[in-house]
Amino acid sequence: MTAGDDAALSSAPEAETVRSLAGPPGTVVWHRKDLRIADHPALAAAAHESDRILPLFVFDPAFYDERGAACDARIEFLHDCLRDLDRQYRDVGGAGLTYGHGDPLDVLARFVDAGWDVVASATPTGRYGRRRDERARERLGVDFAAGDGLVRDAARTRENWSDRVESWFAADPFDWDPRSVAVERVETGVDPDRVSDAYGVASTKTGVPTGGREAARERLREFTESIAEYPGSISSPLDAREGTSGLSAYLRFGCLSVREVHRYVDERAPDGRGKSMFVSRLFWNRHYTQKLLDWPGWLDRAVNPVYEGFNRDRHDPDLVAAWKRGETGFPMVDASMRCLRETGWLNFRMRALCASVYFHILQQPWRIGADHFYEHLIDGDAAINYTQWQSQCGLVGRPGLRLYDPRKQVRDQDPDGEFVSRWVPELDPLPTAHLDAPEKTPLAVQREVGVRIGEEYPYPVVEYESARGEFRERYGAVYGAAAARLGGEAIARRASLSGGIEAARSIAAEHGQPAALRGDDVAESQQTGLDDFE
């Protein structure tokens, strides 16, 4: 997306338009992520306490100009979701969704000055969004309604966390009666199409799903019917495209609530491993979102201070660029990075592989890689993207790195070479047996098939074994100190482990010494299973 001329879109609605609304003031429902009208805590609260509501979405220039961190395809998916949300309000007899444009606080202030209350769903966020919400609460008195299953009212949020989340999943959804409230709308001359034109939103990604609740419900129905195939589909980048739920982007924008999905699957899916595995992923979704709520710094700083700046002194823009382009010489990494750029999606294992090679083998600063993923993923969710990157890179201080071998992943997850050949077509003529390590292909074979490593396809940008060994030595030299820091109250709270502060202290007691990592601690066979969110 390139910044366009937003002069064609003035700040809207204007104050005079808001003051001209007939009748007594009501409540503005400020939509941000929860782009639905069912199981919506803020909407339900507004409808129960007011006779008039006005659902509002504000197109914020900060998300559309050069400061924005979302690719055009994610913006277009958002616009689909907004069109669908407008239809949802109209389908229940309301006037539809009001679109605003400008600094959200300036737009909301016009309603507040005219006597309207404002309510929004409480949503963990970081950077700009967190500062925006804090200002909205302090300056305008915006009420943020909780109801997402996260723990906000406890000194130690992880105590009895699982029980509290289970109770939330089992509770009735937030409900409201459209017949009991007038759903108002203001014509502003702003809509998704005008915004796209003004800011030059034009995605070139392919295979991007249609956004909105209607598409989400259909995808949920299809997945539930085939959920038995889920366990065998999550690791292969080919099988995962159709075999996983495909709901991550819809959950990210709140077209469906996590609780809705849980209830639908619980009631309709056949019992079995597929159902239990998928339900566990919904708990993991809440687990990682809780982490961002507990400490917004996940987006910017290493959880464990010992790892702050790790790899920074090795920053090599050429290595980073090769990784982003999919030209590292490791075919599964390159195929995955090209797939990410082209489609805006990867299954979890390939996301983990690319992060592992970036941080452990190329030894580059983690945030550059995490930001690149967040920009290109259609389902880019700060709570999951950045916590997963830090966990994958090993920046928390827990024992056991998840270090992926890119050659082994070709053999295990793409044995027929379909994924690699699809995204790295220059290797298509190469015999499948050589796709895990093309640089080792005999020269006679290269000449025979017309693929010359070093010309059509690059040699690996680093030597894998030596880079892996070097990283293990560097990481192991400080791991004991990092484990010890994890036991401190402040760092333990940051880490927000599922076992709480006691789990962090246990790690510190067992591993908190300046000793090198044992070899088995970083073997792929010892990976902790944090698995898929697809």
Side-chain angles (χ1 to χ4, degrees), residues 340-526:
L340 170 65
R341 189 173 65 245
E342 173 71 20
T343 72
W345 188 84
L346 280 176
N347 67 316
F348 176 81
R349 181 170 288 269
M350 294 306 106
R351 298 186 196 195
L353 166 67
C354 293
S356 176
V357 169
Y358 174 88
F359 191 75
H360 302 145
I361 306 305
L362 304 186
Q363 301 183 66
Q364 295 301 296
W366 75 275
R367 256 198 63 187
I368 298 173
D371 285 347
H372 182 75
F373 264 45
Y374 188 65
E375 175 188 353
H376 282 280
L377 288 168
I378 307 303
D379 62 8
D381 185 317
I384 294 175
N385 182 66
Y386 290 93
T387 58
Q388 283 289 290
W389 261 84
Q390 290 218 40
S391 297
Q392 175 60 50
C393 292
L395 302 180
V396 178
R398 298 183 66 175
L401 282 171
R402 293 187 295 277
L403 200 160
Y404 286 74
D405 183 337
R407 299 164 303 188
K408 184 176 184 294
Q409 290 303 310
V410 175
R411 298 191 296 268
D412 289 352
Q413 308 304 337
D414 193 30
D416 297 326
E418 294 181 56
F419 183 71
V420 168
S421 295
R422 163 68 177 85
W423 293 106
V424 190
E426 58 266 40
L427 290 179
D428 185 43
L430 206 66
T432 303
H434 298 295
L435 287 179
D436 61 336
E439 73 279 6
K440 297 180 180 179
T441 305
L443 293 178
V445 175
Q446 294 185 39
R447 286 193 295 269
E448 180 182 349
V449 300
V451 175
R452 292 172 295 278
I453 305 304
E455 297 182 26
E456 283 83 8
Y457 184 72
Y459 284 103
V461 290
V462 297
E463 202 284 312
Y464 175 79
E465 295 296 346
S466 61
R468 181 175 183 266
E470 181 185 28
F471 179 85
R472 288 175 60 172
E473 183 177 351
R474 294 174 53 237
Y475 187 88
V478 298
Y479 172 69
R485 289 297 301 273
L486 185 59
E489 180 95 4
I491 308 306
R493 287 182 182 276
R494 280 187 186 184
S496 189
L497 301 181
S498 57
I501 292 176
E502 289 71 22
R505 288 174 175 167
S506 177
I507 291 170
E510 182 176 355
H511 300 277
Q513 71 281 331
L517 282 176
R518 297 182 299 273
D520 287 347
D521 287 338
V522 292
E524 185 173 353
S525 61
Q526 299 294 318

Side-chain angles (χ1 to χ4, degrees), residues 139-218:
R139 172 181 153 191
L140 302 176
V142 173
D143 181 26
F144 291 92
D148 52 9
L150 304 181
V151 178
R152 293 178 169 83
D153 56 351
R156 293 191 174 188
T157 60
R158 286 296 178 173
E159 289 185 355
N160 302 315
W161 185 86
S162 294
D163 291 340
R164 297 180 70 163
V165 174
E166 284 184 9
S167 296
W168 176 78
F169 273 125
D172 290 335
F174 294 103
D175 197 12
W176 65 292
D177 184 358
R179 297 168 298 182
S180 67
V181 61
V183 179
E184 308 287 359
R185 178 177 179 272
V186 175
E187 178 56 55
T188 63
V190 177
D191 59 38
D193 292 334
R194 285 204 63 195
V195 169
S196 291
D197 290 343
Y199 288 99
V201 177
S203 173
T204 59
K205 294 193 188 306
T206 62
V208 177
T210 301
R213 183 175 176 82
E214 182 179 354
R217 287 172 61 88
E218 177 61 20

Side-chain angles (χ1 to χ4, degrees), residues 293-371:
L293 177 63
D294 290 346
W295 188 58
W298 281 93
L299 278 65
D300 299 298
R301 293 151 55 198
V303 171
N304 198 308
V306 172
Y307 295 126
E308 187 66 35
F310 203 82
N311 284 349
R312 187 180 297 159
D313 61 338
R314 293 168 177 262
H315 179 215
D316 184 334
D318 290 337
L319 283 181
V320 173
W323 178 80
K324 288 181 177 181
R325 292 194 305 266
E327 296 177 358
T328 67
F330 298 110
M332 194 60 124
V333 174
D334 294 340
S336 296
M337 294 302 295
R338 297 182 195 188
C339 179
L340 170 65
R341 189 173 65 245
E342 173 71 20
T343 72
W345 188 84
L346 280 176
N347 67 316
F348 176 81
R349 181 170 288 269
M350 294 306 106
R351 298 186 196 195
L353 166 67
C354 293
S356 176
V357 169
Y358 174 88
F359 191 75
H360 302 145
I361 306 305
L362 304 186
Q363 301 183 66
Q364 295 301 296
W366 75 275
R367 256 198 63 187
I368 298 173
D371 285 347

Side-chain angles (χ1 to χ4, degrees), residues 236-253:
S236 163
L238 283 172
D239 296 342
R241 177 66 65 170
E242 298 298 330
T244 53
S245 76
L247 293 172
S248 54
Y250 298 107
L251 292 174
R252 181 260 182 268
F253 284 102

